[in-house]
Amino acid sequence: MDTPNVLSTTFNMVIITFFITFAAIANVAAYGIGVLVYIRLWGLSLVWAFNGALIAFTCQTIAQVAEGYYCDKVVTSYGRRKPFVVVGVCLKIISLVLLTLPPNHKQNILIAWFTVFLSMNFVGDAIYSNPYESWMIESTRDDEDYTRIYSIASPIGGIFGQIIGISLL
């Protein structure tokens, strides 16, 4: 039995493929910027880069717990999932742009800039990824439909995202 919220399998496949491609590009870009630009070109210490990444992962974990709690409690005129997806994607995009634009290349500024904007990137990822996947599960006909869509979209999106992300570096 179809409901008005159920989207077509083809549409869901396209959307999920786009999401996975975007996520792969963003992750390759974030890690690539950290490793290639901050460490190699600008001379950020590997120890400080690791500490910045550790702080970013901690922020991501906290954001995932908070997002999981609030995503099920908050209801807006746009739905329960869409505001989280929009906010998370915007945070991720803004952080990736600002991650590449530190005010100068002094070691202490690079450490702070890298840590803040990598954390912002990971928090954006935590905010949008789970609601997006839940939104897609809710919009498919059944578990088999979602599994079929995801088993095709995941490898295609991941491969294209990795290729595009690496080519952008």
Side-chain angles (χ1 to χ4, degrees):
M1 175 173 135
D2 289 342
T3 63
N5 292 338
V6 175
L7 303 173
S8 75
T9 302
T10 305
F11 180 76
N12 278 337
M13 194 172 309
V14 169
I15 295 296
I16 291 174
T17 303
F18 175 76
F19 165 76
I20 294 169
T21 302
F22 169 75
I25 291 170
N27 289 335
V28 168
Y31 292 120
I33 290 167
V35 173
L36 297 176
V37 177
Y38 277 82
I39 294 171
R40 224 164 156 202
L41 296 178
W42 294 338
L44 179 65
S45 164
L46 187 58
V47 171
W48 284 111
F50 175 78
N51 287 330
L54 185 62
I55 291 169
F57 281 121
T58 303
C59 291
Q60 181 183 28
T61 302
I62 293 167
Q64 277 184 319
V65 171
E67 169 271 320
Y69 176 78
Y70 287 111
C71 189
D72 290 333
K73 304 271 186 230
V74 173
V75 178
T76 68
S77 59
Y78 300 107
R80 292 187 314 168
R81 313 286 187 208
K82 290 176 194 167
F84 288 95
V85 172
V86 169
V87 168
V89 168
C90 289
L91 276 176
K92 199 156 179 74
I93 290 169
I94 291 167
S95 69
L96 283 174
V97 170
L98 292 175
L99 194 59
T100 62
L101 303 170
N104 62 47
H105 299 145
K106 293 180 182 174
Q107 188 78 7
N108 57 350
I109 299 293
L110 283 178
I111 293 167
W113 198 267
F114 179 74
T115 302
V116 166
F117 291 109
L118 188 65
S119 296
M120 187 175 160
N121 183 295
F122 285 6
V123 166
D125 187 62
I127 290 173
Y128 85 86
S129 61
N130 291 337
Y132 184 86
E133 290 177 15
S134 298
W135 181 21
M136 286 297 110
I137 290 170
E138 291 169 357
S139 66
T140 55
R141 291 184 182 90
D142 53 26
D143 290 342
E144 290 174 9
D145 189 37
Y146 179 76
T147 304
R148 187 174 37 255
I149 291 168
Y150 208 83
S151 66
I152 294 170
S154 184
I156 292 171
I159 290 168
F160 281 130
Q162 296 288 334
I163 291 169
I164 293 168
I166 290 170
S167 67
L168 290 175
L169 296 176

